[in-house]
Amino acid sequence: MRRFLSAHDRKLFLTLTGKDLVHMKGYRKYFTKKVVWFLITFVAALILNFILPRLMPADPVAAITGKLVGSTTDATASARIYERYQEEFGTNKPMWEQFFTYIGNLFKGDLGTSFSQYPRKVNDIIASAIWWTIGLQLPAIIVGWLLGNILGALAAYIRKGFDKVLMPLSLFLSSIPAFGMAVILLVLFAVNFKIAPVSGAYGFDMIPNFSWSFVWSVITHYQLPFWSIVLVSIGGQAIGMRSMSIYELNADYVKYARFLGIKDKKIVGYVFRNAMLPQVTGLALSIGTMIGGALVAEIIFSYPGLGSVMYSAVTAADYPLISATTLIITLMVLIVTFILDIVYALIDPRVKAAQFD
Amino acid sequence: MSKIMLEVNELTTKYITRFHEDVYAVDHVSLKIEEGKSLGIAGESGCGKSTLALSLMGYYFAPLHYQSGDIIIDGKNISGMKPDDVRKNILGSEIAYIPQAAMNALNPTRKIYKFIEDVVLAHDSKADKKDIFEMARERFSRLGLPVETLDKHAVELSGGMKQRTVIAISTILQPKVLIADEPSSALDVTSQKMVIKMLRDMMDSGFIKSMIFITHELPLLYNVTDDIMVMYAGQIVETNNSHDMVFNPLHPYSKGLMGSIIVPEEGVRDQKLTAIPGTPPNLKNPPKGCRFAERCKYVMPQCRFNEMPMINLGDGHQYRCGHSHEHLKEMYADEQ
């Protein structure tokens, strides 16, 4: 039947001969394995997320009681208030019982009540902070990644002067720690030149709404934290992409393609597609670890995102809030690596061949 | 006399090292191949075989540079053409190349039929993709390659399959000259045989009009090509038809080369194996006289000073030595 095959029937033929069925079966097995691992890691992370904050040597309930009772010296009254709060937060129960209550509430979508911002619910705090983080980090990571990769690829392809300038600059940028870059930008543009606001996500005298003045305020407050993240990630990405591209440009298949008369434009396309593959991993991981990465920039610029929330939660030993933020980090890393595993197997035939057997 | 497919006159190419030294790895090489004929190039590692292969393509990139000489493919001189013209109109369509490391010659993330599409479109931008696929499919089945190969990535193929696929891709545009640079050196004997069979088959069916086959495995050349050329230190030292080259080598280096291999043929089998002492000269400063003088058993004082001319004995047999051919034959006869 092979002889009567038209280009259109090719796919069908492969399916009929079982070639693709074998692939499908391999893929399903691979997928199931990944899902099982995902669940195991998630459960382990859930337990650690719960236990680790609670091992801190602090009594947040006493702190709230202290705040409420103030200067009263009535010991029985404060003891009663303390007990009431223990009852409400469940901290008087054994750890395992607390854990199951926590899990039970989690399934209902309830992350508990914050200690430090009592009586705000953790859900509310997270919901108001998460969009600031995503809005700041996601574009910054993507822009930094794109610019870094384009510059690195150009440096590898053009070499000469461009490379000689870009390489040291990238090394310099990537070796500055994130907080260093944030402080440099802050001092330069906010303190010295006074062309950008010092802190916050919008003017502190404003109430969030959709007026032009508010949007403009958000945009001006956005610039410094945004570029501090972009600049640092450009350096690292450019260095990685440059060396990958140089490696690929000297690969045997490039020489062979040239000798077959294929145009440089096409060959450069091959090279950058292949050099890009490891960079995709880098992108996915920085998206996954977004909140941890945001911590420094958000604290320095007092940006109201999840990084700031996590920071204040840790300093106040606010167990429910710490568990919630670390849970979000865990989930994001897990989901991103899961997607990466699946997508990578589809875009790189070498990984596919290795994984599906 | 049939048409001459490839004619090379006094081709000289050089490597420019990082320290701006010139290394002439191909030094005044001339050769001729007629339609339907194949030429084998033999020599030890570093003698310039692979560089000659690259030089013949007429397209140079650093560190290899063109110096002088002509490459004429089917009457068209390509050595004066612009690199972009060579790439568009000559490479792949007139003269094609099979690389030494075919294992890594294919882009790991491109399917074979996509790559073939790229090759064809580079020479004919108006070609229809469906036609290209159809053509590739026909060619693959004609050459005995499974058609499913087209829908695969390079990683999914075995070494032998990869090599044969590369050969099929190189010849997809039916080039007049095919240059095969050690296409079978990395393969086991069975795969080697298949590769050789495929190359011969392509010659017979006219997919390629002539072929240059480079190898260090002399017994293979004897079975594959019509003529054999022996290279030493960037120069041709002897050219002859395969049979005479293997059984009656004339140049002392050819003689040493043929004596150093095991050939299971009648008449040669009983000879004892010999080795050639010494190492080839450094091409940065080649010796003034005969380049083989230092290692030659039959060296005369003047060999070290006089430039050795190529001596033509007619019938395609030529050699580069200070001794006359009668004298050489006498000396060889005395030894036995």
Side-chain angles (χ1 to χ4, degrees):
Chain A
M1 69 168 274
R2 203 179 285 167
R3 209 171 315 144
F4 308 110
L5 214 64
S6 82
H8 291 292
D9 293 332
R10 185 166 37 83
K11 285 258 144 60
L12 181 69
F13 163 70
L14 287 171
T15 320
L16 287 176
T17 50
K19 281 280 176 205
D20 263 7
L21 285 179
V22 173
H23 261 169
M24 278 307 291
K25 214 171 149 198
Y27 194 78
R28 206 171 296 149
K29 214 173 125 196
Y30 173 78
F31 192 84
T32 322
K33 213 170 90 188
K34 288 286 166 203
V35 170
V36 168
W37 271 111
F38 179 88
L39 291 176
I40 292 173
T41 330
F42 181 64
V43 169
L46 213 55
I47 295 171
L48 288 177
N49 276 343
F50 178 81
I51 293 175
L52 286 180
R54 283 163 179 80
L55 292 180
M56 285 201 295
D59 190 349
V61 179
I64 306 177
T65 319
K67 236 191 288 176
L68 263 167
V69 174
S71 53
T72 337
T73 44
D74 185 348
T76 42
S78 63
R80 203 166 298 154
I81 293 171
Y82 182 79
E83 267 164 36
R84 212 193 70 70
Y85 276 123
Q86 272 207 325
E87 195 67 36
E88 181 177 346
F89 290 118
T91 46
N92 55 350
K93 294 194 185 108
M95 192 77 102
W96 62 269
E97 221 184 304
Q98 288 183 45
F99 179 68
F100 284 112
T101 322
Y102 170 73
I103 298 292
N105 287 338
L106 202 60
F107 274 106
K108 282 182 249 157
D110 180 9
L111 291 163
T113 311
S114 164
F115 289 159
S116 60
Q117 301 181 36
Y118 185 80
R120 276 186 85 188
K121 296 297 268 181
V122 172
N123 290 28
D124 288 343
I125 300 174
I126 301 281
S128 67
I130 196 163
W131 296 112
W132 289 110
T133 294
I134 291 177
L136 172 66
Q137 290 278 320
L138 201 61
I141 290 170
I142 291 172
V143 168
W145 186 81
L146 278 178
L147 284 179
N149 279 306
I150 292 170
L151 289 174
L154 284 177
Y157 188 61
I158 302 173
R159 304 301 288 271
K160 303 208 173 83
F162 186 71
D163 190 27
K164 287 207 174 75
V165 174
L166 188 85
M167 235 341 240
L169 197 69
S170 304
L171 276 172
F172 176 71
L173 282 178
S174 66
S175 54
I176 296 180
F179 68 84
M181 183 57 81
V183 170
I184 290 172
L185 292 184
L186 191 68
V187 170
L188 270 182
F189 295 102
V191 179
N192 283 355
F193 301 142
K194 293 190 175 26
I195 49 172
V198 180
S199 70
Y202 45 86
F204 53 83
D205 51 347
M206 285 175 154
I207 295 162
N209 58 58
F210 279 104
S211 68
W212 277 115
S213 60
F214 179 76
V215 169
W216 179 247
S217 170
V218 166
I219 291 173
T220 51
H221 281 79
Y222 190 73
Q223 298 309 316
L224 289 187
F226 176 78
W227 289 106
S228 76
I229 299 166
V230 169
L231 283 178
V232 171
S233 58
I234 279 183
Q237 295 294 346
I239 293 170
M241 185 62 181
R242 175 185 172 272
S243 44
M244 273 316 293
S245 304
I246 289 176
Y247 172 79
E248 292 286 338
L249 275 169
N250 290 314
D252 284 331
Y253 69 83
V254 171
K255 198 165 94 175
Y256 180 55
R258 271 187 191 155
F259 275 140
L260 285 172
I262 295 177
K263 288 188 195 77
D264 261 339
K265 218 166 80 189
K266 193 106 214 170
I267 296 178
V268 167
Y270 293 174
V271 165
F272 292 141
R273 186 197 186 285
N274 294 348
M276 214 58 178
L277 292 172
Q279 300 295 98
V280 172
T281 315
L283 174 68
L285 288 180
S286 39
I287 290 177
T289 53
M290 192 191 303
I291 296 165
L295 205 64
V296 170
E298 287 186 5
I299 291 167
I300 289 176
F301 293 103
S302 312
Y303 214 73
L306 272 185
S308 298
V309 167
M310 189 159 86
Y311 178 69
S312 61
V314 170
T315 47
D318 191 343
Y319 307 149
L321 200 50
I322 299 176
S323 291
T325 46
T326 45
L327 179 68
I328 292 174
I329 294 178
T330 317
L331 263 181
M332 281 176 75
V333 172
L334 279 178
I335 290 171
V336 163
T337 41
F338 180 74
I339 293 173
L340 191 69
D341 275 340
I342 303 299
V343 170
Y344 216 86
L346 294 176
I347 57 176
D348 191 341
R350 286 166 292 188
V351 173
K352 185 162 103 183
Q355 298 278 31
F356 291 5
D357 293 336
Chain B
M1 190 172 152
S2 53
K3 231 161 86 176
I4 291 173
M5 276 297 132
L6 175 70
E7 187 177 352
V8 177
N9 291 325
E10 303 283 318
L11 182 68
T12 303
T13 58
K14 64 184 175 189
Y15 285 111
I16 300 181
T17 67
R18 272 202 286 175
F19 310 107
H20 302 286
E21 296 157 315
D22 292 348
V23 178
Y24 293 94
V26 173
D27 201 346
H28 294 93
V29 168
S30 301
L31 55 90
K32 237 181 236 177
I33 308 174
E34 289 171 15
E35 184 167 357
K37 294 280 183 189
S38 56
L39 171 71
I41 298 178
E44 62 199 302
S45 294
C47 74
K49 307 182 298 270
S50 293
T51 310
L52 176 61
L54 296 180
S55 302
L56 290 175
M57 306 296 294
Y59 183 81
Y60 306 92
F61 40 89
L64 184 63
H65 298 268
Y66 170 79
Q67 175 83 16
S68 60
D70 297 314
I71 303 164
I72 300 154
I73 298 172
D74 195 18
K76 189 163 22 164
N77 193 338
I78 65 162
S79 44
M81 282 168 72
K82 283 199 199 99
D84 283 345
D85 285 348
V86 172
R87 192 137 156 194
K88 186 162 188 340
N89 302 319
I90 305 295
L91 295 185
S93 52
E94 300 283 296
I95 185 163
Y97 178 73
I98 300 171
Q100 197 164 12
M103 298 303 120
N104 307 318
L106 295 167
N107 181 353
T109 57
R110 208 146 174 84
K111 285 192 173 175
I112 305 294
Y113 80 93
K114 280 297 214 183
F115 187 61
I116 293 177
E117 239 173 59
D118 293 344
V119 175
V120 177
L121 287 173
H123 296 88
D124 175 13
S125 51
K126 285 187 209 73
D128 182 56
K129 287 188 179 174
K130 238 199 250 151
D131 294 346
I132 299 173
F133 184 83
E134 209 48 41
M135 192 253 281
R137 198 176 60 77
E138 224 160 77
R139 182 69 63 83
F140 269 55
S141 54
R142 169 70 188 75
L143 293 173
L145 286 165
V147 186
E148 299 95 277
T149 311
L150 285 170
D151 197 44
K152 284 187 174 162
H153 288 102
V155 277
E156 295 169 273
L157 305 175
S158 69
M161 273 302 294
K162 234 184 261 183
Q163 185 68 60
R164 287 194 290 155
T165 307
V166 165
I167 295 174
I169 294 173
S170 285
T171 55
I172 200 87
L173 295 167
Q174 312 205 0
K176 287 171 179 145
V177 185
L178 178 70
I179 297 175
D181 188 2
E182 309 221 19
S184 61
S185 300
L187 303 177
D188 66 280
V189 196
T190 319
S191 308
Q192 253 186 20
K193 197 177 159 192
M194 287 206 271
V195 165
I196 302 300
K197 227 183 115 219
M198 190 167 158
L199 286 170
R200 273 194 178 161
D201 186 28
M202 288 195 301
M203 285 282 274
D204 295 343
S205 355
F207 292 142
I208 50 176
K209 301 249 161 27
S210 64
M211 175 170 75
I212 291 182
F213 192 97
I214 294 170
T215 183
H216 57 266
E217 289 164 287
L218 284 163
L220 202 65
L221 276 188
Y222 173 67
N223 287 311
V224 176
T225 59
D226 302 307
D227 296 318
I228 296 180
M229 200 172 99
V230 176
M231 262 186 107
Y232 185 76
Q235 292 178 327
I236 298 172
V237 294
E238 187 172 354
T239 310
N240 204 349
N241 65 60
S242 294
H243 183 270
D244 286 346
M245 184 62 100
V246 172
F247 294 99
N248 301 306
L250 196 57
H251 190 282
Y253 178 67
S254 319
K255 172 115 180 117
L257 206 57
M258 303 301 158
S260 63
I261 49 161
I262 306 162
V263 185
E265 304 282 344
E266 205 66 52
V268 189
R269 198 160 43 194
D270 308 327
Q271 286 178 12
K272 62 176 193 291
L273 284 172
T274 52
I276 310 170
T279 49
N282 186 343
L283 287 177
K284 271 184 219 165
N285 295 304
K288 221 171 37 182
C290 174
R291 294 188 175 180
F292 187 59
E294 283 307 315
R295 302 168 76 185
C296 184
K297 257 202 284 191
Y298 314 99
V299 66
M300 302 177 291
Q302 63 267 36
C303 290
R304 298 179 196 274
F305 308 107
N306 297 350
E307 199 152 308
M308 291 295 146
M310 198 61 140
I311 298 165
N312 202 335
L313 298 176
D315 236 8
H317 186 198
Q318 44 184 351
Y319 75 109
R320 192 190 291 275
C321 184
H323 293 286
S324 71
H325 65 109
E326 293 95 345
H327 187 212
L328 279 169
K329 275 179 189 155
E330 265 168 41
M331 285 195 291
Y332 296 157
D334 286 348
E335 270 175 19
Q336 295 214 323

